[in-house]
Amino acid sequence: MKAMKRVLALVLAGVLCLAFAACDTSAKNERAADQSSVEASNNSETADAAEAKPTNGKLVMATNASFPPYEYYENEKIVGIDAEVAELIAEKLGMELEIKDMEFGSIIGAVQTGSVDMGMAGMTVTEDRLVTVDFSDTYATAVQVIIVKEGSEIISVDDLEGKKIGVQENTTGDIYASDGFGEENIKRYSKGNDAVAALSAGIIDAVIIDNEPAKSYVKANEGLVILESTYADEEYAIAVSKDNTELKENINKALGELKADGTLDSIIKKYIPED
Ligand code: GLN
């Protein structure tokens, strides 16, 4: 139970982090990651601070479209829970939605520099991210799970000690795994799907990722299973610039309406049918 205790301790530390805003190594990790994403986006034409605050009737959303059922491609179009909810928010704001697909680690930087209006990517609210951006009210919950090959000797989180763990770079799964099991055991991939492919190919022993994408990946790839033991309850929200409180308030109002009239629930149910 050693590893389990450590994970619990980490989760507790996360909760304390939330309470005291005095965060530890994971804060450093993430700040470093956010910094590099700012640099990365500064180099790309899509994220130029000079074109800050896109308005002109467009609501520009940054996402990473390989995170089903929240965002993924279907016939070259980005669909999913986030895409549908964002579409309805834009409609309520009298704006036209434009989605920009980028690395998950670049989203916060893009929101911060103002090259996009919001980041919506199954993104967990964390104290570290709140240092650089604001978040809307939450619209969904998630947990981190562990995917392994069928018949694997890994049957609980305890067995992950010393194993090669794949994660999606810059995500909360990445932070938990590196904090809990050591940098040297972590392999980072830019897409969850790539981590899962590496697991199927036997390059890594497990993948730590959010539960709903995990279900989609396991469904799409034979021979994989999700362990029963889960950890880290998380909440998803929309990231907005700290300079744009008006947009945050408008998003919250729209989200509030979508929650109140049952629309949000029905979108979630459409993509996540109850088992
Ligand atoms: N919820 C996780 C995070 O916010 C993963 C999000 C994602 O990969 N799109 O870090």
PDB file of all heavy atoms in Angstrom, residues 39-76:
ATOM      1  N   GLU A  39       6.568  30.242 -24.904  1.00  0.00           N
ATOM      2  CA  GLU A  39       7.623  30.424 -25.892  1.00  0.00           C
ATOM      3  C   GLU A  39       7.246  29.755 -27.200  1.00  0.00           C
ATOM      4  O   GLU A  39       7.400  30.333 -28.263  1.00  0.00           O
ATOM      5  CB  GLU A  39       8.934  29.831 -25.365  1.00  0.00           C
ATOM      6  CG  GLU A  39       9.644  30.825 -24.471  1.00  0.00           C
ATOM      7  CD  GLU A  39      10.605  30.143 -23.512  1.00  0.00           C
ATOM      8  OE1 GLU A  39      11.017  29.000 -23.787  1.00  0.00           O
ATOM      9  OE2 GLU A  39      10.909  30.757 -22.491  1.00  0.00           O
ATOM     10  N   ALA A  40       6.698  28.526 -27.054  1.00  0.00           N
ATOM     11  CA  ALA A  40       6.342  27.805 -28.268  1.00  0.00           C
ATOM     12  C   ALA A  40       5.311  28.578 -29.058  1.00  0.00           C
ATOM     13  O   ALA A  40       5.426  28.727 -30.267  1.00  0.00           O
ATOM     14  CB  ALA A  40       5.795  26.422 -27.919  1.00  0.00           C
ATOM     15  N   SER A  41       4.321  29.135 -28.351  1.00  0.00           N
ATOM     16  CA  SER A  41       3.275  29.802 -29.130  1.00  0.00           C
ATOM     17  C   SER A  41       3.768  31.129 -29.670  1.00  0.00           C
ATOM     18  O   SER A  41       3.289  31.592 -30.686  1.00  0.00           O
ATOM     19  CB  SER A  41       1.981  29.961 -28.336  1.00  0.00           C
ATOM     20  OG  SER A  41       2.222  30.073 -27.000  1.00  0.00           O
ATOM     21  N   ASN A  42       4.742  31.733 -28.984  1.00  0.00           N
ATOM     22  CA  ASN A  42       5.263  32.983 -29.518  1.00  0.00           C
ATOM     23  C   ASN A  42       5.946  32.760 -30.856  1.00  0.00           C
ATOM     24  O   ASN A  42       6.035  33.664 -31.671  1.00  0.00           O
ATOM     25  CB  ASN A  42       6.266  33.605 -28.540  1.00  0.00           C
ATOM     26  CG  ASN A  42       5.526  34.344 -27.440  1.00  0.00           C
ATOM     27  OD1 ASN A  42       4.331  34.597 -27.571  1.00  0.00           O
ATOM     28  ND2 ASN A  42       6.216  34.675 -26.377  1.00  0.00           N
ATOM     29  N   ASN A  43       6.438  31.528 -31.033  1.00  0.00           N
ATOM     30  CA  ASN A  43       7.121  31.245 -32.284  1.00  0.00           C
ATOM     31  C   ASN A  43       6.165  30.892 -33.405  1.00  0.00           C
ATOM     32  O   ASN A  43       6.540  30.830 -34.546  1.00  0.00           O
ATOM     33  CB  ASN A  43       8.076  30.057 -32.092  1.00  0.00           C
ATOM     34  CG  ASN A  43       9.239  30.478 -31.234  1.00  0.00           C
ATOM     35  OD1 ASN A  43       9.532  31.668 -31.160  1.00  0.00           O
ATOM     36  ND2 ASN A  43       9.879  29.517 -30.594  1.00  0.00           N
ATOM     37  N   SER A  44       4.935  30.604 -33.052  1.00  0.00           N
ATOM     38  CA  SER A  44       4.031  30.187 -34.118  1.00  0.00           C
ATOM     39  C   SER A  44       3.136  31.349 -34.508  1.00  0.00           C
ATOM     40  O   SER A  44       2.844  32.218 -33.715  1.00  0.00           O
ATOM     41  CB  SER A  44       3.186  29.001 -33.652  1.00  0.00           C
ATOM     42  OG  SER A  44       2.109  29.485 -32.902  1.00  0.00           O
ATOM     43  N   GLU A  45       2.717  31.319 -35.758  1.00  0.00           N
ATOM     44  CA  GLU A  45       1.958  32.466 -36.227  1.00  0.00           C
ATOM     45  C   GLU A  45       0.576  32.550 -35.593  1.00  0.00           C
ATOM     46  O   GLU A  45      -0.030  33.606 -35.570  1.00  0.00           O
ATOM     47  CB  GLU A  45       1.850  32.418 -37.744  1.00  0.00           C
ATOM     48  CG  GLU A  45       1.198  31.124 -38.190  1.00  0.00           C
ATOM     49  CD  GLU A  45       1.413  30.853 -39.654  1.00  0.00           C
ATOM     50  OE1 GLU A  45       0.576  31.316 -40.435  1.00  0.00           O
ATOM     51  OE2 GLU A  45       2.404  30.199 -39.983  1.00  0.00           O
ATOM     52  N   THR A  46       0.088  31.413 -35.060  1.00  0.00           N
ATOM     53  CA  THR A  46      -1.260  31.429 -34.502  1.00  0.00           C
ATOM     54  C   THR A  46      -1.323  32.164 -33.171  1.00  0.00           C
ATOM     55  O   THR A  46      -2.375  32.540 -32.720  1.00  0.00           O
ATOM     56  CB  THR A  46      -1.764  29.995 -34.264  1.00  0.00           C
ATOM     57  OG1 THR A  46      -0.760  29.313 -33.539  1.00  0.00           O
ATOM     58  CG2 THR A  46      -2.089  29.300 -35.537  1.00  0.00           C
ATOM     59  N   ALA A  47      -0.175  32.330 -32.508  1.00  0.00           N
ATOM     60  CA  ALA A  47      -0.234  32.900 -31.177  1.00  0.00           C
ATOM     61  C   ALA A  47       0.676  34.110 -31.071  1.00  0.00           C
ATOM     62  O   ALA A  47       1.762  34.044 -30.542  1.00  0.00           O
ATOM     63  CB  ALA A  47       0.162  31.835 -30.170  1.00  0.00           C
ATOM     64  N   ASP A  48       0.248  35.187 -31.620  1.00  0.00           N
ATOM     65  CA  ASP A  48       1.054  36.391 -31.556  1.00  0.00           C
ATOM     66  C   ASP A  48       0.354  37.369 -30.629  1.00  0.00           C
ATOM     67  O   ASP A  48      -0.790  37.733 -30.825  1.00  0.00           O
ATOM     68  CB  ASP A  48       1.164  36.955 -32.980  1.00  0.00           C
ATOM     69  CG  ASP A  48       2.050  38.182 -33.024  1.00  0.00           C
ATOM     70  OD1 ASP A  48       2.377  38.725 -31.948  1.00  0.00           O
ATOM     71  OD2 ASP A  48       2.404  38.586 -34.119  1.00  0.00           O
ATOM     72  N   ALA A  49       1.064  37.791 -29.588  1.00  0.00           N
ATOM     73  CA  ALA A  49       0.450  38.682 -28.611  1.00  0.00           C
ATOM     74  C   ALA A  49      -0.096  39.936 -29.283  1.00  0.00           C
ATOM     75  O   ALA A  49      -1.026  40.568 -28.790  1.00  0.00           O
ATOM     76  CB  ALA A  49       1.462  39.051 -27.550  1.00  0.00           C
ATOM     77  N   ALA A  50       0.499  40.297 -30.444  1.00  0.00           N
ATOM     78  CA  ALA A  50       0.065  41.521 -31.125  1.00  0.00           C
ATOM     79  C   ALA A  50      -1.389  41.432 -31.561  1.00  0.00           C
ATOM     80  O   ALA A  50      -2.096  42.427 -31.632  1.00  0.00           O
ATOM     81  CB  ALA A  50       0.954  41.777 -32.330  1.00  0.00           C
ATOM     82  N   GLU A  51      -1.834  40.198 -31.858  1.00  0.00           N
ATOM     83  CA  GLU A  51      -3.236  40.086 -32.280  1.00  0.00           C
ATOM     84  C   GLU A  51      -4.122  39.760 -31.080  1.00  0.00           C
ATOM     85  O   GLU A  51      -5.126  39.068 -31.185  1.00  0.00           O
ATOM     86  CB  GLU A  51      -3.394  39.056 -33.399  1.00  0.00           C
ATOM     87  CG  GLU A  51      -2.672  37.742 -33.118  1.00  0.00           C
ATOM     88  CD  GLU A  51      -3.030  36.606 -34.062  1.00  0.00           C
ATOM     89  OE1 GLU A  51      -2.545  36.623 -35.188  1.00  0.00           O
ATOM     90  OE2 GLU A  51      -3.775  35.708 -33.629  1.00  0.00           O
ATOM     91  N   ALA A  52      -3.708  40.257 -29.933  1.00  0.00           N
ATOM     92  CA  ALA A  52      -4.400  39.958 -28.681  1.00  0.00           C
ATOM     93  C   ALA A  52      -5.882  40.316 -28.730  1.00  0.00           C
ATOM     94  O   ALA A  52      -6.305  41.150 -29.521  1.00  0.00           O
ATOM     95  CB  ALA A  52      -3.735  40.715 -27.549  1.00  0.00           C
ATOM     96  N   LYS A  53      -6.643  39.670 -27.836  1.00  0.00           N
ATOM     97  CA  LYS A  53      -8.077  39.905 -27.697  1.00  0.00           C
ATOM     98  C   LYS A  53      -8.850  39.883 -29.014  1.00  0.00           C
ATOM     99  O   LYS A  53      -9.346  40.898 -29.484  1.00  0.00           O
ATOM    100  CB  LYS A  53      -8.308  41.278 -27.041  1.00  0.00           C
ATOM    101  CG  LYS A  53      -7.811  41.376 -25.630  1.00  0.00           C
ATOM    102  CD  LYS A  53      -8.988  41.508 -24.676  1.00  0.00           C
ATOM    103  CE  LYS A  53      -8.539  41.476 -23.256  1.00  0.00           C
ATOM    104  NZ  LYS A  53      -7.770  42.641 -22.885  1.00  0.00           N
ATOM    105  N   PRO A  54      -8.907  38.727 -29.657  1.00  0.00           N
ATOM    106  CA  PRO A  54      -9.719  38.666 -30.862  1.00  0.00           C
ATOM    107  C   PRO A  54     -11.182  38.952 -30.501  1.00  0.00           C
ATOM    108  O   PRO A  54     -11.681  38.372 -29.539  1.00  0.00           O
ATOM    109  CB  PRO A  54      -9.557  37.223 -31.333  1.00  0.00           C
ATOM    110  CG  PRO A  54      -8.832  36.512 -30.257  1.00  0.00           C
ATOM    111  CD  PRO A  54      -8.371  37.465 -29.238  1.00  0.00           C
ATOM    112  N   THR A  55     -11.786  39.846 -31.190  1.00  0.00           N
ATOM    113  CA  THR A  55     -13.198  40.114 -30.891  1.00  0.00           C
ATOM    114  C   THR A  55     -13.999  39.932 -32.170  1.00  0.00           C
ATOM    115  O   THR A  55     -14.309  38.807 -32.511  1.00  0.00           O
ATOM    116  CB  THR A  55     -13.405  41.536 -30.317  1.00  0.00           C
ATOM    117  OG1 THR A  55     -12.634  42.441 -31.081  1.00  0.00           O
ATOM    118  CG2 THR A  55     -13.051  41.608 -28.852  1.00  0.00           C
ATOM    119  N   ASN A  56     -14.256  41.005 -32.867  1.00  0.00           N
ATOM    120  CA  ASN A  56     -14.991  41.022 -34.141  1.00  0.00           C
ATOM    121  C   ASN A  56     -15.976  39.862 -34.297  1.00  0.00           C
ATOM    122  O   ASN A  56     -16.025  39.187 -35.322  1.00  0.00           O
ATOM    123  CB  ASN A  56     -14.032  41.087 -35.337  1.00  0.00           C
ATOM    124  CG  ASN A  56     -13.023  39.940 -35.370  1.00  0.00           C
ATOM    125  OD1 ASN A  56     -13.383  38.805 -35.016  1.00  0.00           O
ATOM    126  ND2 ASN A  56     -11.808  40.222 -35.757  1.00  0.00           N
ATOM    127  N   GLY A  57     -16.757  39.631 -33.257  1.00  0.00           N
ATOM    128  CA  GLY A  57     -17.819  38.644 -33.361  1.00  0.00           C
ATOM    129  C   GLY A  57     -17.354  37.209 -33.315  1.00  0.00           C
ATOM    130  O   GLY A  57     -18.148  36.279 -33.430  1.00  0.00           O
ATOM    131  N   LYS A  58     -16.062  36.994 -33.143  1.00  0.00           N
ATOM    132  CA  LYS A  58     -15.563  35.607 -33.106  1.00  0.00           C
ATOM    133  C   LYS A  58     -15.180  35.221 -31.695  1.00  0.00           C
ATOM    134  O   LYS A  58     -14.593  36.016 -30.974  1.00  0.00           O
ATOM    135  CB  LYS A  58     -14.324  35.490 -33.984  1.00  0.00           C
ATOM    136  CG  LYS A  58     -14.660  35.082 -35.367  1.00  0.00           C
ATOM    137  CD  LYS A  58     -13.436  34.539 -36.056  1.00  0.00           C
ATOM    138  CE  LYS A  58     -13.815  34.107 -37.460  1.00  0.00           C
ATOM    139  NZ  LYS A  58     -12.659  33.956 -38.303  1.00  0.00           N
ATOM    140  N   LEU A  59     -15.489  34.007 -31.320  1.00  0.00           N
ATOM    141  CA  LEU A  59     -15.047  33.472 -30.034  1.00  0.00           C
ATOM    142  C   LEU A  59     -14.030  32.377 -30.376  1.00  0.00           C
ATOM    143  O   LEU A  59     -14.388  31.328 -30.903  1.00  0.00           O
ATOM    144  CB  LEU A  59     -16.231  32.893 -29.257  1.00  0.00           C
ATOM    145  CG  LEU A  59     -15.920  32.340 -27.871  1.00  0.00           C
ATOM    146  CD1 LEU A  59     -15.510  33.467 -26.919  1.00  0.00           C
ATOM    147  CD2 LEU A  59     -17.131  31.614 -27.280  1.00  0.00           C
ATOM    148  N   VAL A  60     -12.759  32.674 -30.132  1.00  0.00           N
ATOM    149  CA  VAL A  60     -11.719  31.729 -30.539  1.00  0.00           C
ATOM    150  C   VAL A  60     -11.346  30.826 -29.366  1.00  0.00           C
ATOM    151  O   VAL A  60     -10.950  31.298 -28.300  1.00  0.00           O
ATOM    152  CB  VAL A  60     -10.470  32.472 -31.076  1.00  0.00           C
ATOM    153  CG1 VAL A  60      -9.445  31.463 -31.589  1.00  0.00           C
ATOM    154  CG2 VAL A  60     -10.859  33.441 -32.175  1.00  0.00           C
ATOM    155  N   MET A  61     -11.493  29.539 -29.601  1.00  0.00           N
ATOM    156  CA  MET A  61     -11.250  28.550 -28.539  1.00  0.00           C
ATOM    157  C   MET A  61     -10.030  27.702 -28.889  1.00  0.00           C
ATOM    158  O   MET A  61      -9.917  27.193 -29.995  1.00  0.00           O
ATOM    159  CB  MET A  61     -12.501  27.664 -28.430  1.00  0.00           C
ATOM    160  CG  MET A  61     -12.275  26.301 -27.818  1.00  0.00           C
ATOM    161  SD  MET A  61     -13.850  25.385 -27.801  1.00  0.00           S
ATOM    162  CE  MET A  61     -13.259  23.703 -27.698  1.00  0.00           C
ATOM    163  N   ALA A  62      -9.139  27.566 -27.926  1.00  0.00           N
ATOM    164  CA  ALA A  62      -7.995  26.663 -28.114  1.00  0.00           C
ATOM    165  C   ALA A  62      -8.339  25.316 -27.503  1.00  0.00           C
ATOM    166  O   ALA A  62      -8.929  25.254 -26.424  1.00  0.00           O
ATOM    167  CB  ALA A  62      -6.765  27.234 -27.426  1.00  0.00           C
ATOM    168  N   THR A  63      -7.974  24.253 -28.211  1.00  0.00           N
ATOM    169  CA  THR A  63      -8.192  22.920 -27.659  1.00  0.00           C
ATOM    170  C   THR A  63      -7.110  21.969 -28.154  1.00  0.00           C
ATOM    171  O   THR A  63      -6.240  22.371 -28.944  1.00  0.00           O
ATOM    172  CB  THR A  63      -9.589  22.375 -28.031  1.00  0.00           C
ATOM    173  OG1 THR A  63      -9.928  21.312 -27.137  1.00  0.00           O
ATOM    174  CG2 THR A  63      -9.665  21.863 -29.462  1.00  0.00           C
ATOM    175  N   ASN A  64      -7.135  20.745 -27.678  1.00  0.00           N
ATOM    176  CA  ASN A  64      -6.255  19.702 -28.186  1.00  0.00           C
ATOM    177  C   ASN A  64      -7.185  18.561 -28.579  1.00  0.00           C
ATOM    178  O   ASN A  64      -7.676  17.829 -27.716  1.00  0.00           O
ATOM    179  CB  ASN A  64      -5.264  19.272 -27.096  1.00  0.00           C
ATOM    180  CG  ASN A  64      -4.427  18.093 -27.550  1.00  0.00           C
ATOM    181  OD1 ASN A  64      -4.570  16.989 -27.047  1.00  0.00           O
ATOM    182  ND2 ASN A  64      -3.565  18.315 -28.505  1.00  0.00           N
ATOM    183  N   ALA A  65      -7.438  18.457 -29.894  1.00  0.00           N
ATOM    184  CA  ALA A  65      -8.534  17.606 -30.351  1.00  0.00           C
ATOM    185  C   ALA A  65      -8.170  16.125 -30.469  1.00  0.00           C
ATOM    186  O   ALA A  65      -8.432  15.485 -31.488  1.00  0.00           O
ATOM    187  CB  ALA A  65      -9.089  18.134 -31.657  1.00  0.00           C
ATOM    188  N   SER A  66      -7.578  15.590 -29.415  1.00  0.00           N
ATOM    189  CA  SER A  66      -7.387  14.134 -29.405  1.00  0.00           C
ATOM    190  C   SER A  66      -7.722  13.643 -28.009  1.00  0.00           C
ATOM    191  O   SER A  66      -6.959  12.920 -27.373  1.00  0.00           O
ATOM    192  CB  SER A  66      -5.963  13.758 -29.800  1.00  0.00           C
ATOM    193  OG  SER A  66      -5.052  14.240 -28.868  1.00  0.00           O
ATOM    194  N   PHE A  67      -8.871  14.097 -27.540  1.00  0.00           N
ATOM    195  CA  PHE A  67      -9.283  13.799 -26.174  1.00  0.00           C
ATOM    196  C   PHE A  67     -10.761  13.423 -26.153  1.00  0.00           C
ATOM    197  O   PHE A  67     -11.610  14.134 -25.617  1.00  0.00           O
ATOM    198  CB  PHE A  67      -9.024  15.072 -25.339  1.00  0.00           C
ATOM    199  CG  PHE A  67      -8.964  14.856 -23.848  1.00  0.00           C
ATOM    200  CD1 PHE A  67      -7.922  14.171 -23.256  1.00  0.00           C
ATOM    201  CD2 PHE A  67      -9.947  15.393 -23.021  1.00  0.00           C
ATOM    202  CE1 PHE A  67      -7.854  14.017 -21.882  1.00  0.00           C
ATOM    203  CE2 PHE A  67      -9.898  15.241 -21.644  1.00  0.00           C
ATOM    204  CZ  PHE A  67      -8.841  14.549 -21.071  1.00  0.00           C
ATOM    205  N   PRO A  68     -11.094  12.292 -26.797  1.00  0.00           N
ATOM    206  CA  PRO A  68     -12.497  11.890 -26.845  1.00  0.00           C
ATOM    207  C   PRO A  68     -13.022  11.514 -25.455  1.00  0.00           C
ATOM    208  O   PRO A  68     -12.233  11.017 -24.651  1.00  0.00           O
ATOM    209  CB  PRO A  68     -12.463  10.648 -27.749  1.00  0.00           C
ATOM    210  CG  PRO A  68     -11.061  10.106 -27.629  1.00  0.00           C
ATOM    211  CD  PRO A  68     -10.187  11.300 -27.383  1.00  0.00           C
ATOM    212  N   PRO A  69     -14.271  11.756 -25.112  1.00  0.00           N
ATOM    213  CA  PRO A  69     -15.336  12.303 -25.953  1.00  0.00           C
ATOM    214  C   PRO A  69     -15.452  13.827 -25.832  1.00  0.00           C
ATOM    215  O   PRO A  69     -16.445  14.401 -26.251  1.00  0.00           O
ATOM    216  CB  PRO A  69     -16.584  11.641 -25.365  1.00  0.00           C
ATOM    217  CG  PRO A  69     -16.269  11.535 -23.893  1.00  0.00           C
ATOM    218  CD  PRO A  69     -14.783  11.306 -23.796  1.00  0.00           C
ATOM    219  N   TYR A  70     -14.442  14.482 -25.276  1.00  0.00           N
ATOM    220  CA  TYR A  70     -14.533  15.943 -25.100  1.00  0.00           C
ATOM    221  C   TYR A  70     -14.197  16.701 -26.379  1.00  0.00           C
ATOM    222  O   TYR A  70     -14.867  17.655 -26.720  1.00  0.00           O
ATOM    223  CB  TYR A  70     -13.671  16.393 -23.910  1.00  0.00           C
ATOM    224  CG  TYR A  70     -14.319  15.967 -22.611  1.00  0.00           C
ATOM    225  CD1 TYR A  70     -14.023  14.734 -22.029  1.00  0.00           C
ATOM    226  CD2 TYR A  70     -15.297  16.756 -22.028  1.00  0.00           C
ATOM    227  CE1 TYR A  70     -14.668  14.307 -20.882  1.00  0.00           C
ATOM    228  CE2 TYR A  70     -15.950  16.334 -20.882  1.00  0.00           C
ATOM    229  CZ  TYR A  70     -15.632  15.116 -20.309  1.00  0.00           C
ATOM    230  OH  TYR A  70     -16.296  14.704 -19.187  1.00  0.00           O
ATOM    231  N   GLU A  71     -13.126  16.247 -27.078  1.00  0.00           N
ATOM    232  CA  GLU A  71     -12.805  16.856 -28.375  1.00  0.00           C
ATOM    233  C   GLU A  71     -12.010  15.871 -29.209  1.00  0.00           C
ATOM    234  O   GLU A  71     -11.029  15.310 -28.745  1.00  0.00           O
ATOM    235  CB  GLU A  71     -12.029  18.179 -28.268  1.00  0.00           C
ATOM    236  CG  GLU A  71     -10.940  18.207 -27.204  1.00  0.00           C
ATOM    237  CD  GLU A  71     -11.484  18.733 -25.894  1.00  0.00           C
ATOM    238  OE1 GLU A  71     -12.350  19.605 -25.947  1.00  0.00           O
ATOM    239  OE2 GLU A  71     -11.059  18.260 -24.837  1.00  0.00           O
ATOM    240  N   TYR A  72     -12.493  15.652 -30.416  1.00  0.00           N
ATOM    241  CA  TYR A  72     -11.818  14.739 -31.337  1.00  0.00           C
ATOM    242  C   TYR A  72     -12.325  15.013 -32.738  1.00  0.00           C
ATOM    243  O   TYR A  72     -13.313  15.736 -32.923  1.00  0.00           O
ATOM    244  CB  TYR A  72     -12.072  13.275 -30.935  1.00  0.00           C
ATOM    245  CG  TYR A  72     -13.535  12.883 -30.863  1.00  0.00           C
ATOM    246  CD1 TYR A  72     -14.157  12.197 -31.911  1.00  0.00           C
ATOM    247  CD2 TYR A  72     -14.308  13.206 -29.752  1.00  0.00           C
ATOM    248  CE1 TYR A  72     -15.497  11.841 -31.855  1.00  0.00           C
ATOM    249  CE2 TYR A  72     -15.661  12.862 -29.687  1.00  0.00           C
ATOM    250  CZ  TYR A  72     -16.235  12.175 -30.736  1.00  0.00           C
ATOM    251  OH  TYR A  72     -17.569  11.843 -30.678  1.00  0.00           O
ATOM    252  N   TYR A  73     -11.602  14.468 -33.715  1.00  0.00           N
ATOM    253  CA  TYR A  73     -11.987  14.702 -35.105  1.00  0.00           C
ATOM    254  C   TYR A  73     -12.983  13.653 -35.588  1.00  0.00           C
ATOM    255  O   TYR A  73     -12.835  12.465 -35.316  1.00  0.00           O
ATOM    256  CB  TYR A  73     -10.755  14.660 -36.020  1.00  0.00           C
ATOM    257  CG  TYR A  73      -9.966  15.949 -35.977  1.00  0.00           C
ATOM    258  CD1 TYR A  73      -8.924  16.118 -35.083  1.00  0.00           C
ATOM    259  CD2 TYR A  73     -10.301  17.011 -36.826  1.00  0.00           C
ATOM    260  CE1 TYR A  73      -8.212  17.309 -35.030  1.00  0.00           C
ATOM    261  CE2 TYR A  73      -9.591  18.206 -36.775  1.00  0.00           C
ATOM    262  CZ  TYR A  73      -8.556  18.349 -35.880  1.00  0.00           C
ATOM    263  OH  TYR A  73      -7.865  19.527 -35.830  1.00  0.00           O
ATOM    264  N   GLU A  74     -13.984  14.121 -36.296  1.00  0.00           N
ATOM    265  CA  GLU A  74     -14.907  13.226 -36.988  1.00  0.00           C
ATOM    266  C   GLU A  74     -15.087  13.831 -38.368  1.00  0.00           C
ATOM    267  O   GLU A  74     -15.577  14.976 -38.463  1.00  0.00           O
ATOM    268  CB  GLU A  74     -16.243  13.186 -36.239  1.00  0.00           C
ATOM    269  CG  GLU A  74     -17.027  11.920 -36.479  1.00  0.00           C
ATOM    270  CD  GLU A  74     -18.239  11.879 -35.554  1.00  0.00           C
ATOM    271  OE1 GLU A  74     -19.204  12.620 -35.852  1.00  0.00           O
ATOM    272  OE2 GLU A  74     -18.207  11.165 -34.549  1.00  0.00           O
ATOM    273  N   ASN A  75     -14.651  13.134 -39.397  1.00  0.00           N
ATOM    274  CA  ASN A  75     -14.689  13.677 -40.750  1.00  0.00           C
ATOM    275  C   ASN A  75     -14.079  15.072 -40.817  1.00  0.00           C
ATOM    276  O   ASN A  75     -14.690  16.014 -41.309  1.00  0.00           O
ATOM    277  CB  ASN A  75     -16.129  13.744 -41.283  1.00  0.00           C
ATOM    278  CG  ASN A  75     -16.806  12.397 -41.216  1.00  0.00           C
ATOM    279  OD1 ASN A  75     -16.152  11.373 -41.425  1.00  0.00           O
ATOM    280  ND2 ASN A  75     -18.080  12.391 -40.893  1.00  0.00           N
ATOM    281  N   GLU A  76     -12.904  15.216 -40.290  1.00  0.00           N
ATOM    282  CA  GLU A  76     -12.152  16.478 -40.342  1.00  0.00           C
ATOM    283  C   GLU A  76     -12.773  17.630 -39.569  1.00  0.00           C
ATOM    284  O   GLU A  76     -12.354  18.769 -39.679  1.00  0.00           O
ATOM    285  CB  GLU A  76     -11.875  16.889 -41.799  1.00  0.00           C
ATOM    286  CG  GLU A  76     -10.850  15.947 -42.421  1.00  0.00           C
ATOM    287  CD  GLU A  76     -10.670  16.137 -43.898  1.00  0.00           C
ATOM    288  OE1 GLU A  76     -10.710  17.288 -44.347  1.00  0.00           O
ATOM    289  OE2 GLU A  76     -10.488  15.113 -44.586  1.00  0.00           O
TER     290      GLU A  76
END
